[in-house]
């Protein structure tokens, strides 16, 4: 092999593909969605393999859709329980293209890094373990045995276990996640960062403080019972399309929907169910009744204004707005909240929200006499400096109305990755509770480490500063998903060993440690046969339902191992024997892993039996029962500051969002159909008046600069696109703009990077 000359590119190429436009859509679903799903399936998986897979998505005896964590109906399911974007996720995994060693022989790592993210992802499924040694320019094949020995040897050479980092993305099954965290803790560290750190961590922190459980409280059936559903900072038409079915059904039963979002997202406006003939022929269902186009990060002032107006109404007709009985019996802190609200000027709050007084008043009039309110939220709320406050403020509203712990009401943080919630339940967490560690100690008879580990931003810093030397990733695309791409790249490249357990090739394989391994694993859709028996795995959805997932397609290659088998291989090669754990025996029969989960984690009694029931079972959820496991033993009102953004005329707040054709860092295509943007991802959505003010033309080429901590960060080559977005707010796509997000700017308490409010300047 030749010597390295150029280093690989950490960012997607700055090349433009050429923007094509249409008017943004005001309707989601319909036949176009069906057409789009089928196109992706035909191109990647082929008709037979693709259809076979699709008919098993989210069925009782099928596999859990790798798309999102939206819950499935408990009782009746239709034969089609997937959406357009679920179909794209399935197509991506079931592709017939395979990456064998000849591919890696042909293309150097440096060359691959100049490809677009889409082309890297579309190259096919990984089929056998690959390695790069120091100085190599290409990946070459390695046997599974040698790969595991290398990992074991390197981990055991470290001065201390905390020099290794073990990341998890949220697609990993409960079984693999439980084994993985056990291996990591037996090795001696809690360095278990995960994608949740960048996602709903803020929800976990805020909900634990206020209602005593870091998960949502509503079930799918609650949507049909709700009087009002508020959807804050979420784009379900693209990211949780099956949620639109629940919203449509709720609307038909009389619910009202309030959307709070800087953008008028098509999926929140109107929906045609693609599988309903009546819908497809008709005009569909209007979803949102009141749409508040809040400024980026204007949610706290907005909700505070609503709270103030509700207080006024309650004062005028006492007992008609607040749920006094619930407040008295089950909450704490109302007086302090009321006092704080008095200190805020209504007009200042309204101005900071960017929404008109009349629109806010309309929402207040709608909810004042309602008791059953659900609030849904996602990344528009969780990825700001004050993200935890954002969520606590939403909880204040629910608590005043007694809208939690009863049918048709409650909290609904809509999770992203299909098992991100389950992975946390299994102990993928850098700050495990004492109770959890005690339970590990009791069950497995070893002392797990007690000191907290690194979360995602701490892990990046530890690698870059040389405190961490081995990085292992159970799925995901750490380089492209994290902030500060160039800084993160440096950290990964300084590691002595990086290991990626993956289904598909991504940029994290190309920006690697001195020695690097890719370990290819089975995907959700594939049959998982161990020791002659077909296995199933289990996952937990956004509503806390644990259920089975069983792949049905033959694996793309005979060399793939399952995630539990890969953990077993790493553990066996690394750890001296632990008397109570036989890793390979567990990997032979997943029932044994589940028996051990049952012995360790509350709520999993009779796991193997209950998870075999159609639809699975609900985990216990205190908030749902109005039993609030907080420090005070009650649900807590909270006082939240209004964030201040003193924007100079040339400053903008930038949110980095998902297009319709991507799954996080996996780029399915170059279109963002609902927003009317085609064939280009390097775009910046701007208010027309801001463009005029800056003499920027539609399609004009600009660079984006951010300046934090005395460091200039530059993202080059974006096309300006006029869009209906509040003044001084702009939007770009993730991951192209991640290079602008500083690693040291994150949410207070949850340390989630500020991906939705980055201060930037537009430079021509
Ligand atoms: N097809 C598809 N499905 C997915 C994913 C995917 O990439 N593709 N990703 C999965 C994952 S991991 C996750 S976490 C979820 C993400 O699901 P979402 O949270 O829906 O994803 P984002 O594109 O980040 O959208 C954020 C939304 O918040 C709005 N927003 C931004 N800033 C603010 C703000 O300050 N206030 C308010 N009120 N709104 C704001 C944006 O306009 C946008 O509509 O989706 C999951 N499902
Ligand atoms: N700027 C900005 N940054 C963000 C966000 C944002 O909104 N803006 N969102 C953040 C959020 S919410 C999240 S969740 C993170 C996502 O961060 P990650 O979860 O790390 O990223 P993904 O892009 O979902 O990971 C995709 C890769 O996972 C691998 N994969 C897919 N299926 C499987 C499987 O079954 N097993 C294994 N082992 N591997 C598999 C494939 O190799 C694929 O390339 O990104 C975060 N980063
Ligand atoms: Mo996420």
């Amino acid at each position: 092999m030749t010597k390295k000359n150029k280093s690989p590119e950490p960012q997607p190429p700055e090349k433009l593909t050429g923007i094509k436009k249409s008017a943004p859509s005001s309707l989601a679903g319909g036949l176009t969605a069906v057409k789009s799903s089928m196109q992706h399936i035909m191109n990647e998986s082929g008709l037979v393999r693709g259809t076979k897979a699709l008919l098993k998505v989210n069925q009782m005896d099928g596999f859990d859709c790798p798309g999102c964590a939206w819950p499935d109906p408990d009782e009746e399911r239709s034969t089609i329980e997937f959406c357009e974007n679920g179909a794209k996720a399935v197509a991506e995994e079931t592709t017939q293209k395979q990456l064998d060693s000849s591919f890696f022989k042909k293309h150097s790592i440096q060359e691959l890094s100049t490809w677009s993210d889409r082309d890297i992802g579309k190259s096919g499924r990984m089929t056998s373990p690959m390695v790069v040694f120091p100085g190599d320019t290409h990946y070459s094949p390695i046997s599974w045995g040698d790969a595991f020995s290398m990992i074991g040897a390197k981990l055991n050479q470290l001065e201390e276990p905390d020099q290794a980092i073990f990341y998890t993305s949220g697609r990993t099954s409960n079984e693999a996640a439980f084994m993985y965290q056990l291996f990591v803790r037996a090795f001696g560290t809690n360095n278990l960062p995960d994608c949740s750190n960048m996602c709903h961590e803020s929800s976990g922190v805020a909900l634990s403080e206020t209602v005593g459980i870091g998960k949502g409280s509503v079930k799918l059936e609650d949507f049909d019972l709700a009087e009002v559903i508020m959807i804050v900072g979420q784009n379900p038409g693209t990211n949780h399309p099956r949620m639109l079915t629940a919203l449509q059904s709720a609307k038909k039963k009389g619910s009202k929907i309030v959307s709070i979002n800087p953008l008028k997202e098509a999926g929140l406006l109107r929906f045609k169910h693609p599988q309903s003939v009546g819908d497809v022929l008709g005009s569909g269902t209007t979803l949102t009744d009141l749409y508040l186009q809040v400024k980026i990060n204007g949610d706290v002032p907005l909700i505070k204004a609503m709270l103030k107006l509700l207080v006024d109404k309650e004062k005028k007709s006492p007992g008609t707005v607040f749920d006094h009985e619930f407040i008295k019996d089950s909450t704490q802190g109302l007086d302090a909240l009321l006092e704080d609200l008095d200190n805020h000027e209504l007009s200042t709050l309204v101005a900071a929200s960017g929404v008109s007084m009349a629109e806010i008043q309309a929402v207040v009039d709608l909810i004042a006499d309602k008791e059953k309110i659900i609030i849904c939220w996602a990344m528009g709320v969780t990825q700001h400096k004050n993200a935890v406050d954002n969520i606590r403020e939403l909880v204040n509203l629910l608590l005043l109305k007694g809208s939690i712990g009863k049918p048709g009401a409650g909290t609904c943080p809509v999770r992203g990755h299909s098992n991100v919630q389950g992975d946390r339940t299994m102990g993928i967490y850098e700050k495990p509770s004492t109770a959890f560690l005690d339970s590990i100690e009791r069950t497995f008879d070893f002392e797990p480490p007690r000191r907290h580990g690194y979360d995602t931003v701490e892990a990046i810093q530890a690698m870059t500063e040389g405190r961490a030397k081995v990085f292992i990733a159970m799925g995901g695309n750490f380089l492209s998903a994290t902030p500060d791409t160039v800084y993160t790249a440096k950290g990964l490249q300084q590691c002595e060993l990086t290991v990626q357990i993956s289904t598909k090739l991504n940029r994290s394989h190309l920006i690697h440690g001195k020695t690097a391994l890719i370990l290819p694993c089975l995907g959700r859709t594939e049959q998982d046969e161990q020791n002659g028996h077909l296995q199933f795995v289990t996952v937990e959805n956004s509503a806390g339902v644990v259920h089975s997932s069983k792949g049905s397609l033959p694996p793309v290659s005979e060399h793939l191992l399952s995630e539990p088998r890969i953990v077993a291989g790493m553990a066996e090669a690394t750890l001296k024997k632990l008397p109570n754990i036989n890793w390979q025996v567990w990997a032979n029969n997943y029932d044994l892993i589940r028996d051990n989960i049952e012995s360790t984690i509350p709520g999993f009694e009779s796991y193997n039996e209950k998870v075999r029931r159609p639809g699975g079972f609900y985990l216990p959820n205190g908030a749902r029962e109005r039993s609030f496991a907080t420090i005070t033993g009650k649900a807590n009102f909270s006082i939240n500051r209004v964030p201040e953004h003193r924007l100079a005329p040339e400053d903008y707040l930038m949110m980095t969002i998902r297009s319709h054709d991507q799954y996080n860092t996996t780029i399915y295509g170059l279109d963002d159909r609902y927003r009317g943007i085609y064939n280009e991802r390097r775009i910046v959505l701007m208010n027309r008046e801001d463009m005029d003010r800056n003499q920027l033309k539609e399609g004009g080429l600009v660079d984006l600069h951010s300046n934090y901590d005395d460091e200039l960060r530059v993202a080059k080559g974006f096309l300006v696109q006029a869009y209906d977005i509040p003044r001084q707010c702009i939007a770009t796509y993730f991951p192209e703009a991640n290079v602008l997000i500083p690693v040291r700017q994150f949410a207070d308490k949850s340390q989630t990077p500020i991906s939705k409010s980055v201060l930037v300047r537009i430079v021509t």
Side-chain angles (χ1 to χ4, degrees):
M1 301 242 166
T2 49
K3 270 265 163 251
K4 220 187 231 175
N5 39 28
K6 268 185 170 165
S7 42
E9 305 291 335
Q11 295 181 61
E14 283 153 17
K15 233 172 44 202
L16 297 172
T17 37
I19 190 164
K20 296 190 183 122
K21 288 177 316 190
S22 70
S25 171
S26 54
L27 171 88
L31 281 178
T32 326
V34 179
K35 209 175 114 206
S36 163
S37 328
M38 286 325 288
Q39 246 163 17
H40 282 266
I41 285 287
M42 293 302 285
N43 290 348
E44 295 293 331
S45 343
L47 186 63
V48 176
R49 192 173 154 83
T51 311
K52 193 171 166 199
L54 285 181
L55 291 175
K56 287 288 181 187
V57 179
N58 294 331
Q59 297 301 318
M60 301 274 189
D61 64 340
F63 63 88
D64 181 53
C65 179
C68 72
W70 186 254
D72 313 300
D74 285 339
E75 307 289 336
E76 279 171 35
R77 299 201 185 159
S78 76
T79 45
I80 297 183
E81 278 293 346
F82 60 89
C83 65
E84 175 191 350
N85 279 343
K88 289 184 202 162
V90 169
E92 194 73 18
E93 183 177 300
T94 57
T95 179
Q96 293 181 325
K97 286 179 233 141
Q98 300 179 14
L99 293 184
D100 51 17
S101 52
S102 65
F103 174 87
F104 289 101
K105 216 172 179 168
K106 187 162 164 211
H107 305 289
S108 73
I109 294 169
Q110 200 279 329
E111 183 208 329
L112 289 171
S113 78
T114 63
W115 294 15
S116 70
D117 286 340
R118 169 163 160 255
D119 290 346
I120 293 172
K122 292 270 179 233
S123 56
R125 281 281 299 274
M126 296 292 310
T127 51
S128 54
M130 305 298 293
V131 66
V132 222
F133 292 107
D136 283 358
T137 52
H138 293 66
Y139 271 103
S140 53
I142 182 172
S143 73
W144 279 105
D146 287 350
F148 290 137
S149 306
M150 227 160 91
I151 295 169
K154 189 43 100 188
L155 286 174
N156 285 317
Q157 275 163 20
L158 294 174
E159 289 141 35
E160 47 179 20
D162 284 341
Q163 289 182 335
I165 289 166
F166 300 85
Y167 175 72
T168 311
S169 167
R171 217 176 261 185
T172 296
S173 65
N174 283 352
E175 289 73 8
F178 183 78
M179 281 178 78
Y180 186 53
Q181 63 80 33
L182 193 62
F183 153 55
V184 171
R185 296 198 161 104
F187 171 64
T189 180
N190 283 312
N191 285 345
L192 284 158
D194 68 347
C195 68
S196 210
N197 296 144
M198 299 178 266
C199 183
H200 267 294
E201 193 71 62
S202 310
S203 307
V205 172
L207 291 174
S208 301
E209 269 182 27
T210 53
V211 296
I213 180 165
K215 306 178 182 183
S217 72
V218 303
K219 296 181 173 180
L220 188 55
E221 65 206 35
D222 287 316
F223 280 80
D224 272 352
L225 304 172
E227 293 167 304
V228 177
I229 301 166
M230 294 176 69
I231 303 166
V232 192
Q234 194 201 343
N235 178 20
T238 285
N239 298 312
H240 306 91
R242 284 186 306 132
M243 180 173 166
L244 303 189
T245 312
L247 294 178
Q248 183 183 43
S249 160
K251 276 302 293 239
K252 287 184 177 162
K253 297 213 161 65
S255 304
K256 297 285 179 198
I257 296 181
V258 176
S259 293
I260 301 180
N261 198 310
L263 304 180
K264 284 244 167 124
E265 304 285 24
L268 293 169
L269 297 173
R270 180 178 280 275
F271 174 56
K272 269 192 189 183
H273 199 304
Q275 281 115 34
S276 148
V277 177
D279 262 23
V280 165
L281 297 178
S283 59
T285 310
T286 300
L287 294 180
T288 297
D289 298 278
L290 296 170
Y291 209 116
L292 306 193
Q293 262 186 293
V294 68
K295 276 190 202 164
I296 290 179
N297 206 209
D299 302 271
V300 164
L302 176 65
I303 304 296
K304 236 185 237 310
M306 289 181 191
L307 297 180
K308 268 183 90 78
L309 290 167
L310 286 170
V311 172
D312 288 350
K313 272 192 182 277
E314 170 67 24
K315 276 189 190 146
K316 275 188 203 133
S317 351
T320 58
V321 180
F322 293 176
D323 182 340
H324 289 284
E325 200 180 308
F326 170 74
I327 293 175
K328 185 163 145 285
D329 294 347
S330 308
T331 73
Q332 184 283 134
L334 177 63
D335 291 343
L337 173 67
L338 294 178
E339 205 181 303
D340 181 69
L341 287 174
D342 271 344
N343 297 332
H344 291 274
E345 210 44 70
L346 187 60
S347 56
T348 319
L349 295 172
V350 172
S353 74
V355 176
S356 75
M357 182 66 195
E359 290 169 296
I360 301 176
Q361 189 66 57
V363 176
V364 170
D365 291 344
L366 172 69
I367 62 180
D369 63 348
K370 305 292 189 301
E371 300 169 1
K372 292 186 261 171
I373 303 171
I374 291 176
I375 304 187
C376 304
W377 69 88
M379 298 305 103
V381 171
T382 65
Q383 299 176 328
H384 299 277
K385 174 104 171 75
N386 71 332
V388 172
D389 279 4
N390 275 341
I391 297 149
R392 296 197 321 173
E393 202 71 337
L394 297 174
V395 172
N396 278 340
L397 177 58
L398 292 174
L399 295 182
L400 278 179
K401 302 290 301 166
S403 275
I404 187 162
K406 66 180 178 200
T411 52
C412 186
V414 184
R415 303 276 161 178
H417 265 301
S418 50
N419 197 36
V420 62
Q421 188 159 315
D423 289 346
R424 263 300 154 82
T425 309
M426 292 299 114
I428 301 290
Y429 190 25
E430 72 285 352
K431 300 185 201 69
S433 68
T434 309
F436 182 85
L437 294 176
D438 287 348
S439 185
I440 295 266
E441 185 161 350
R442 252 192 330 267
T443 315
F444 300 106
D445 208 17
F446 73 87
E447 280 182 36
R450 297 277 164 172
R451 63 196 173 278
H452 287 172
Y454 299 137
D455 63 13
T456 293
V457 296
E458 290 162 350
I460 297 168
Q461 292 175 32
M463 286 188 274
T464 312
E465 291 164 12
R467 285 177 281 124
K469 297 178 172 165
V470 174
F471 175 83
I472 299 182
M474 179 58 87
N477 180 359
F478 192 81
L479 170 79
S480 303
T482 49
D484 238 346
T485 315
V486 176
Y487 181 87
T488 303
K490 190 171 150 209
L492 287 168
Q493 286 170 324
Q494 278 178 194
C495 282
E496 285 169 21
L497 175 68
T498 52
V499 181
Q500 304 283 345
I501 298 152
S502 312
T503 49
K504 304 214 50 186
L505 192 67
N506 63 47
R507 208 166 283 279
S508 295
H509 303 115
L510 310 175
I511 299 294
H512 54 77
K514 289 171 189 146
T515 301
L517 288 165
I518 307 176
L519 305 181
C521 64
L522 289 173
R524 279 277 172 84
T525 53
E526 290 166 320
Q527 288 165 353
D528 183 352
E529 188 180 314
Q530 302 295 335
N531 211 25
H533 297 279
L534 275 184
Q535 308 289 321
F536 66 87
V537 293
T538 60
V539 292
E540 176 183 341
N541 65 31
S542 224
V545 178
V546 178
H547 63 91
S548 66
S549 173
K550 190 173 179 183
S552 51
L553 296 181
V556 286
S557 151
E558 56 182 353
H559 303 297
L560 303 180
L561 294 187
S562 74
E563 291 182 345
R565 180 70 70 193
I566 293 174
V567 178
M570 296 195 293
E572 208 175 44
T574 309
L575 303 172
K576 288 176 216 93
K577 261 211 152 35
L578 289 172
N580 293 339
I581 308 173
N582 194 329
W583 305 99
Q584 298 294 359
V585 172
W586 287 15
N588 282 343
N589 176 1
Y590 298 175
D591 277 354
L592 298 179
I593 313 175
R594 287 186 282 270
D595 284 343
N596 280 283
I597 294 172
E598 177 176 338
S599 316
T600 317
I601 303 176
F604 286 84
E605 295 73 24
S606 314
Y607 194 0
N608 270 308
E609 184 253 312
K610 283 198 304 202
V611 86
R612 283 178 161 83
R613 294 181 199 159
F617 63 97
Y618 278 92
L619 285 175
N621 185 311
R624 193 174 281 159
E625 318 293 328
R626 292 200 164 175
S627 154
F628 301 109
T630 60
I631 299 176
T632 60
K634 301 221 163 172
N636 293 314
F637 284 103
S638 59
I639 294 175
N640 304 299
R641 288 196 7 244
V642 174
E644 274 189 57
H645 296 285
R646 288 204 195 87
L647 299 185
E650 60 275 33
D651 287 339
Y652 291 87
L653 271 188
M654 176 184 77
M655 53 176 171
T656 54
I657 55 176
R658 293 158 170 77
S659 81
H660 195 61
D661 267 1
Q662 74 183 87
Y663 191 89
N664 299 337
T665 68
T666 300
I667 311 300
Y668 302 138
L670 300 179
D671 299 343
D672 196 0
R673 193 173 78 238
Y674 292 152
R675 298 196 184 107
I677 294 161
Y678 296 86
N679 200 50
E680 181 59 83
R681 293 183 50 83
R682 296 189 80 83
I683 52 142
V684 46
L685 304 183
M686 277 188 91
N687 184 296
R688 171 77 66 183
E689 288 172 35
D690 286 330
M691 285 169 56
D692 293 345
R693 196 165 52 91
N694 288 294
Q695 280 130 31
L696 291 170
K697 294 256 168 312
E698 186 90 2
L701 186 66
V702 296
D703 293 344
L704 301 173
H705 288 191
S706 74
N707 198 332
Y708 283 91
D709 313 316
D710 284 332
E711 201 184 325
L712 181 69
R713 292 170 177 80
V714 178
K716 282 202 179 133
F718 285 76
L719 299 176
V720 173
Q721 166 74 45
Y723 206 80
D724 180 8
I725 184 172
R727 293 287 300 271
Q728 287 195 286
C729 294
I730 58 172
T732 51
Y733 295 129
F734 140 59
E736 283 80 357
N738 282 37
V739 66
L740 296 168
I741 307 172
V743 71
R744 284 185 184 76
Q745 298 291 325
F746 41 71
D748 300 328
K749 295 190 189 170
S750 68
Q751 307 216 126
T752 296
I754 54 159
S755 307
K756 294 288 187 280
S757 45
V758 190
L759 190 63
V760 299
R761 290 196 174 175
I762 299 175
V763 178
T764 46

